[in-house]
Amino acid sequence: MIELSKPEEVTVAEEKKLWGGRFKESTDELVEKFTESVSYDKRLAPFDIAGSIAHVKMLEKQGILKKEEAEKIIEGLNEILDEIESGSFEWKTELEDVHMNIEKRLTERIGSVGGKLHTGRSRNDQIATDVRLYVRHEIEEILELLKELRKAFVKQAEENLDVVMPGYTHLQIAQPVLYSHHMLAYYQMFKRDAERFQDALKRVNISPLGSAALAGTSYPLDREFTAKLLGFSGVTKNSMDAVSDRDFVAETIFNCAMVMMHLSRLSEELVLWSTEEFGFIDLPDAFCTGSSIMPQKKNPDVSELTRGKTGRVYGDLMAILTILKGLPLTYNRDLQEDKEPLFDAIDTVKLALKVNAKIVSGMKPKRERMREQAKKGFSLATDVADYLARKGVPFREAHRIVGELVAYCLDKGNGLEDLTLEEFKQFSDKFEEDVLSLMSVEGSINSRNIIGGTSREQVESEIDRIKEEEGFE
Ligand code: ARG
């Protein structure tokens, strides 16, 4: 016997999903929990609404929507944005994602005309558009933060031009360098990072809107028009690629991972330098923490955590690459998993950049200790070998002679600077009076007067060049 539907079943049918037309059963609660993304993609709301408004303006221009309809939808969307920004918007897990939460609210507010918003569009090109707008916005912010950090390094370099320190290879004292030169090495890393983000923008800032579900659409949409309204520099050229491409997400996370790697290297140095054993640097109190048991401790936790958080961001990169590797064209729901790693990498890198810019601005080199160490470990040995080579001794032989000199000093418990001319001459008759004046850290540093070298002249001119290029005060 066929039962007629009861009134409450009608209610159930009305509460069906926006995509629920072909479904007889409602979604299992566990599946809702498993498939929802609104708990995290709601942060895309401002971009989602901007994309929708551009889409509606275009639909009106193309005569697909009437003027009054478009106006009503745009007004509704703006009101929803206000609700979201003021915190009064009620996000619903059962509405799955940011798109459907907003669309549902739109029809609640303005009635069935709200249903026309999605004309000629799919969530597949919609989410691709939202994520691109979001990434573009975040890259602009990261570029600003990278610039602040670079400025801090240049300031350290400029204010401490007379500070000398040992330069290391293999973490063994190698040759004396200017502390400023060391600071500007970090400047270079973060400059390259900025260039990398800038370059990524070329691929990020392209509009996939109008690709629809995967094949394009039969509506006469003006894709160039929406792209222009949204500030994109062009439109994607293949709808199937456009809805499934997340290369720009992977690329952005990689760029974040690279920044973190550089910050982590810096952190490692700051952790070492702030130990009793190195004693090279005083970190600002506000960026260190104490111990709950040992009253004397000042721990470089921020640097340690920067090093640690680098691991998270590498994890984010592994996640996105792994998510993408097995996907057939075109959109697959796996792609929803792009967001959490992306958001995590971006949030982490932004916070790490902010806090490290403050550390770099506030740290103080301990110049006496650095100078003392700059002379240790026979750091002037290369200068002595170069001296002999300049006097015509083949460099390999000069290297051997100075090696023997070092062994001799080690036996005597001396440094090279303690040797007399007579002692030098025992190892080579090419040594003359002037070798003794070579034995100064400044002399050694300033002799490396070559582009990219550590001499004061080179470092000063590099600071000038950077300030000019970056427009630093
Ligand atoms: N939440 C989805 C995502 O992030 C939006 C696109 C859903 N598209 C679909 N056909 N189910 O990828």
Side-chain angles (χ1 to χ4, degrees), residues 49-60:
I49 289 175
S52 289
I53 290 176
H55 182 64
V56 169
K57 285 184 177 165
M58 181 275 298
L59 290 177
E60 188 212 326

Side-chain angles (χ1 to χ4, degrees), residues 262-323:
H262 289 148
L263 287 175
S264 187
R265 292 183 66 185
L266 169 71
S267 299
E268 173 65 11
E269 294 214 295
L270 297 186
V271 168
L272 282 173
W273 288 3
S274 60
T275 57
E276 192 67 39
E277 290 79 355
F278 270 83
F280 280 5
I281 203 127
D282 221 353
L283 292 175
D285 275 4
F287 290 83
C288 293
T289 59
S291 155
S292 56
I293 173 165
M294 297 165 281
Q296 83 285 11
K297 296 273 302 239
K298 177 173 160 183
N299 295 328
D301 297 42
V302 171
S303 299
E304 294 169 83
L305 275 170
T306 301
R307 212 171 46 187
K309 283 174 189 286
T310 303
R312 282 173 76 115
V313 178
Y314 287 7
D316 295 328
L317 180 59
M318 279 307 117
I320 186 66
L321 290 173
T322 311
I323 289 162

Side-chain angles (χ1 to χ4, degrees), residues 147 151 154-155 158 187 460-473:
K147 189 159 186 173
K151 198 169 168 184
V154 173
K155 198 148 168 277
E158 197 172 22
Y187 168 89
E460 272 179 332
S461 87
E462 179 59 5
I463 290 174
D464 289 344
R465 187 195 65 75
I466 291 170
K467 283 171 73 178
E468 168 91 25
E469 185 184 293
E470 298 264 14
F472 292 156
E473 93 278 36

